[in-house]
Amino acid sequence: MHTVVVGTSGVTASDVLAVARGGARVQLSDEAVAALAAAREIVDALAAKPDPVYGVSTGFGALATRHISPELRAQLQRNIVRSHAAGMGPAVERDVVRALMFLRLKTVCSGHTGVRPEVAQTMADLLNAGITPVVHEYGSLGCSGDLAPLSHCALALMGEGDAEGPDGVVRPAAELLAAHGIQPVELREKEGLALLNGTDGMLGMLVMALADLDRLYKSADVTAALSLEALLGTDKVLAPELHAIRPHPGQAASAANMLAVLKGSGLTGHHQDDAPRVQDAYSVRCAPQVAGAGRDTMAHARLVADRELASAVDNPVVLPDGRVESNGNFHGAPVAYVLDFLAIAVADLGSIAERRTDRLLDKNRSHGLPPFLADDAGVDSGLMIAQYTQAALVSELKRLAVPASADSIPSSAMQEDHVSMGWSAARKLRTAVDNLTRVLAVELYAATRAIELREGLAPAPATRAVIDALREAGVRGPGPDRFLAPDLAAADAFVRDGRLLAAVEKVTGLLQ
């Protein structure tokens, strides 16, 4: 099995995906173990002094003014975990929790948190055993980081709370740890706070959303190309020289992908035939501009994610010169903003795909296709309600595009008087990505049916490959009305698991 080695300098997006979704094992580097031990020596030295140090010998947040005596400090660390594990609502997905745990381990291994090596090793042991703490939907304000979600993970390290085993069954964490020979940790000074204070949940969801959107933006280029083809549009607007004079890199990549899909098509260029058009509609002609802007938004989000993956987010932090200093690096604003930016881009991509689908179904705008792509219009309704479903999904995407990060609600007796709401931004983006997949599946379903109805005109080789693969996947072509939900579900799976891109890229080579 693949192993990810965690050092002191952060991790990569591919590391996160390998652990969160691929079940990769985690190993601490010798460098990380040494850094953990060195930072712990600093914390132990400060703990032995009479002077109060925040997070080491004081309370937390609005209670930071109280100096905690040595005999109460272990209880303090246990108490902060127990009291902060206050999430409510449904359990979040396993991959989110694994990303959360792994990214917290990444910061711990930086040597800036003061956590002992044995605590870090236990974190790795839980991941390697496939033990996933139960983390709830609600509880994080994104400042100081994802407190409640991380607290539920720390609770499992202590052998408390509930967790899901590798078999998917939820049991008491103590039972799961014992079954895998893992000793619960006894937290000491600074450790409880260090396990809770980070942007790990929102960052993990950002990394996974970017991976999913990389696939979906390429898929959207394919479905847009198929719709252009089905509408007998022109591919001249995709010429590289046109996009070179407005040099947005995402736009150029999207246009190049569409052009590659359409190479050799016998359907493009008929816009001057029976019903002459000077230009195609915006939803067809401007597809690269809209998808390209989303791609460029993703590039910015990826830059933010990479910086965060290289960061040590905690408060207070242990500095190389031996100081332990408070800071505000746990504030989730950098991550929250790009999560919201992406939700806006996703909503617009879904919106333009729906407009192309509607055009395919409207006999007044589809340039010769039957109403609703029905077999016997009037007797058959065709894809009328499939478009309703797509429209409902797009309407939901627009609601999900309302930024969470524009909100703030004070907490902790006004000590934490401005928060990022980054966890909320991440949760709604995760839903938006899921729904975008469905929107593109409906466009794919409509466009392939429309192309097959263009008798006597040969589609591009890449299009033919998509149609053949889609039919092999059990998604049926034109014909009388039938139960549509299974076809749409199969089309959704075809987009979601990458078979759409695989079919195209066998013909075109890798898309950009």
Side-chain angles (χ1 to χ4, degrees):
M1 183 180 289
H2 176 58
T3 298
V4 173
V5 178
V6 184
T8 60
S9 57
V11 296
T12 66
S14 60
D15 291 336
V16 176
L17 294 169
V19 173
R21 290 178 168 173
R25 294 185 59 80
V26 177
Q27 179 181 324
L28 310 186
S29 72
D30 292 342
E31 174 194 31
V33 173
L36 284 158
R40 186 65 208 180
E41 287 182 7
I42 294 171
V43 170
D44 286 341
L46 290 171
K49 292 182 178 181
D51 301 326
V53 177
Y54 176 67
V56 176
S57 52
T58 70
F60 310 114
L63 303 176
T65 54
R66 178 177 172 181
H67 183 231
I68 308 298
S69 59
E71 65 272 13
L72 293 177
R73 289 176 190 169
Q75 181 181 338
L76 170 69
Q77 300 303 318
R78 288 194 299 271
N79 286 351
I80 190 175
V81 173
R82 290 167 175 164
S83 65
H84 285 45
M88 295 181 73
V92 302
E93 304 85 354
R94 182 175 184 272
D95 60 352
V96 172
V97 181
R98 286 184 62 82
L100 175 79
M101 296 166 66
F102 176 66
L103 288 168
R104 193 69 232 149
L105 177 61
K106 173 267 298 182
T107 282
V108 164
C109 286
S110 70
H112 291 294
T113 68
V115 168
R116 287 169 295 152
E118 50 264 44
V119 175
Q121 184 58 55
T122 304
M123 296 170 75
D125 291 343
L126 255 69
L127 285 166
N128 292 340
I131 298 172
T132 307
V134 174
V135 172
H136 298 279
E137 181 83 19
Y138 302 106
S140 173
L141 300 179
C143 188
S144 301
D146 294 318
L147 285 173
L150 283 163
S151 297
H152 283 275
C153 293
L155 197 67
L157 285 176
M158 293 165 47
E160 300 181 19
D162 292 327
E164 180 185 306
D167 58 0
V169 176
V170 174
R171 291 194 282 162
E175 290 183 14
L176 286 168
L177 266 63
H180 289 84
I182 300 172
Q183 188 70 28
V185 297
E186 294 281 350
L187 298 176
R188 289 171 44 180
E189 292 94 343
K190 177 70 171 64
E191 290 179 335
L193 185 60
L195 294 177
L196 315 186
N197 214 339
T199 57
D200 308 292
M202 63 183 93
L203 175 59
M205 285 186 276
L206 173 60
V207 169
M208 290 188 286
L210 285 168
D212 294 337
L213 288 173
D214 181 68
R215 181 188 72 254
L216 289 176
Y217 267 81
K218 293 174 185 175
S219 299
D221 292 339
V222 174
T223 60
L226 267 57
S227 290
L228 183 153
E229 206 171 7
L231 291 165
L232 305 180
T234 177
D235 59 0
K236 289 183 178 180
V237 295
L238 304 173
E241 58 270 24
L242 293 175
H243 298 278
I245 61 176
R246 193 188 190 198
H248 293 288
Q251 176 180 323
S254 182
N257 285 346
M258 290 181 66
L259 205 55
V261 173
L262 293 170
K263 185 177 180 181
S265 173
L267 283 84
T268 58
H270 290 272
H271 63 296
Q272 293 295 346
D273 289 354
D274 296 337
R277 281 167 278 165
V278 176
Q279 303 172 120
D280 289 315
Y282 282 12
S283 60
V284 177
R285 185 172 16 131
C286 300
Q289 284 77 9
V290 171
R295 285 167 169 268
D296 292 342
T297 301
M298 286 171 58
H300 172 61
R302 196 169 286 113
L303 175 64
V304 171
D306 287 345
R307 288 170 175 166
E308 199 77 359
L309 288 168
S311 300
V313 178
D314 192 18
N315 180 49
V317 291
V318 181
L319 296 174
D321 60 9
R323 288 180 294 145
V324 175
E325 297 285 0
S326 293
N327 66 90
N329 285 342
F330 49 74
H331 199 288
V335 182
Y337 290 168
V338 295
L339 288 162
D340 280 334
F341 295 165
L342 288 171
I344 292 169
V346 164
D348 203 34
L349 188 65
S351 179
I352 197 171
E354 183 276 330
R355 287 293 79 205
R356 290 190 296 263
T357 304
D358 182 68
R359 184 166 289 272
L360 288 166
L361 272 54
D362 184 350
K363 72 180 182 64
N364 296 311
R365 295 180 292 142
S366 66
H367 311 288
L369 291 169
F372 303 106
L373 306 181
D375 187 61
D376 184 3
V379 175
D380 294 315
S381 294
L383 304 191
M384 180 191 295
I385 308 305
Q387 186 268 330
Y388 279 35
T389 299
Q390 191 186 40
L393 289 162
V394 169
S395 185
E396 179 71 5
L397 286 176
K398 292 173 182 178
R399 289 190 289 272
L400 293 167
V402 176
S405 59
D407 185 29
S408 176
I409 189 164
S411 57
S412 192
M414 293 298 287
Q415 176 71 9
E416 298 172 10
D417 59 349
H418 184 274
V419 297
S420 77
M421 303 307 297
W423 174 274
S424 298
R427 295 304 294 163
K428 68 186 184 65
L429 176 61
R430 193 170 177 88
T431 302
V433 170
D434 201 33
N435 283 348
L436 176 63
T437 309
R438 298 185 177 104
V439 170
L440 296 179
V442 175
E443 182 181 19
L444 173 69
Y445 188 61
T448 51
R449 176 184 281 213
I451 289 167
E452 287 188 300
L453 290 171
R454 297 288 190 188
E455 295 179 0
L457 295 173
T463 301
R464 184 74 262 164
V466 167
I467 293 172
D468 290 345
L470 194 61
R471 301 296 170 249
E472 288 175 13
V475 181
R476 293 165 293 180
D481 280 357
R482 54 183 176 256
F483 182 21
L484 269 187
D487 275 356
L488 296 178
D492 175 25
F494 189 75
V495 175
R496 192 177 298 272
D497 63 19
R499 279 177 288 166
L500 170 60
L501 281 185
V504 168
E505 290 179 338
K506 283 181 182 178
V507 178
T508 64
L510 294 178
L511 297 182
Q512 299 183 41

